[in-house]
Amino acid sequence: ARRRSPRCHRRSQGSDIRTSINIPFRVAVEGGRIELKVPTELTCTACRGTGHQGGAHSSFCPQCGGAGRVQQMRTIAAKIPPGIDDGATLRLRGKGNAGSSSAAPGDLYVTVHVEADPNFKRKGQNVYVEKTISLTQALLGTTIRVQTPDNRHVDVRVPAGTQPGKQFKLAGMGIRGQKTTGDLFVTIRVALPQKLTAKQKKLVEELAKALGE
């Protein structure tokens, strides 16, 4: 019987890879570099992607079985741009699966999920935070210190008579994106005392009387 020669592989671009990562809120705000491990088809080093040993009509490569590619876990570095949105997809060109017969590799698409932060709520480039003050601070006025998304601290003057739910806008202190910067909104909550001493109750009653209540 005549010996059948292995079939030659046509050159075809490598397939794309899709994966996802979770990043902390702070990394989403400031940007940074992350590493992710991705199972990837790489060009076989034994046959240099041809799938054969000793030429196109020789036997199949024993390392890749004639595929020209081998599967390996690959560590890839990705740059996270500042202000990235939850659900955004990064495209890393040439980081996908290797092509056959030394063809160009595919791309790697990474969907980014931003972890929730216990202090900040985000809507687009705007950030929302709540600050709690006491009843006397709401009545007399006070100054509160507010942390910004980029870890700065600013003082905000709360005027006397501020109502619960009052919102202060700090322009330009939200998340800085590629083209625009959002605002930081501070919502005031007022904590009421749950128990009053006899003296405190009397003072509140005198205040109510003075206010005509």
Side-chain angles (χ1 to χ4, degrees):
R2 192 172 69 178
R3 181 173 176 269
R4 297 177 62 185
S5 62
R7 57 188 176 90
C8 295
H9 288 271
R10 297 172 56 187
R11 287 172 56 88
S12 59
Q13 182 174 347
S15 59
D16 296 331
I17 300 174
R18 296 185 181 275
T19 187
S20 62
I21 55 170
N22 295 330
I23 62 172
F25 179 82
R26 187 76 59 195
V27 174
V29 172
E30 301 177 353
R33 295 183 67 85
I34 54 96
E35 289 187 346
L36 57 156
K37 295 185 181 294
V38 182
T40 310
E41 291 182 353
L42 302 177
T43 300
C44 177
T45 56
C47 65
R48 298 182 180 179
T50 64
H52 305 280
Q53 281 189 334
H57 298 289
S58 62
S59 60
F60 285 137
C61 171
Q63 184 166 329
C64 65
R69 301 179 296 277
V70 292
Q71 181 119 2
Q72 292 183 4
M73 189 63 72
R74 187 181 182 190
T75 300
I76 299 175
K79 182 180 180 181
I80 304 295
I84 192 169
D85 289 321
D86 180 55
T89 299
L90 301 175
R91 180 183 183 184
L92 280 65
R93 296 181 183 273
K95 299 299 184 181
N97 290 319
S100 62
S101 301
S102 301
D107 299 330
L108 172 62
Y109 292 88
V110 183
T111 300
V112 177
H113 299 294
V114 181
E115 298 172 355
D117 187 271
N119 299 316
F120 299 108
K121 303 298 180 185
R122 177 181 179 182
K123 291 182 180 179
Q125 303 301 99
N126 294 331
V127 178
Y128 298 79
V129 66
E130 294 184 354
K131 297 294 290 186
T132 300
I133 61 176
S134 67
L135 174 61
T136 53
Q137 287 175 320
L139 293 172
L140 303 175
T142 187
T143 298
I144 58 174
R145 176 150 288 194
V146 177
Q147 182 181 3
T148 65
D150 57 358
N151 209 27
R152 291 180 295 160
H153 292 84
V154 295
D155 290 333
V156 177
R157 179 62 187 170
V158 180
T162 292
Q163 300 297 309
K166 171 68 176 178
Q167 193 173 74
F168 296 92
K169 175 182 175 181
L170 307 182
M173 292 190 180
I175 294 177
R176 185 181 301 276
Q178 298 296 313
K179 296 181 180 179
T180 60
T181 300
D183 302 321
L184 175 61
F185 294 87
V186 183
T187 301
I188 299 299
R189 303 299 181 196
V190 179
L192 300 178
Q194 295 182 344
K195 293 183 178 180
L196 296 175
T197 65
K199 182 179 180 180
Q200 290 170 338
K201 184 177 180 181
K202 183 178 180 180
L203 290 172
V204 172
E205 290 173 345
E206 290 178 357
L207 174 62
K209 184 177 180 181
L211 294 175
E213 297 179 359

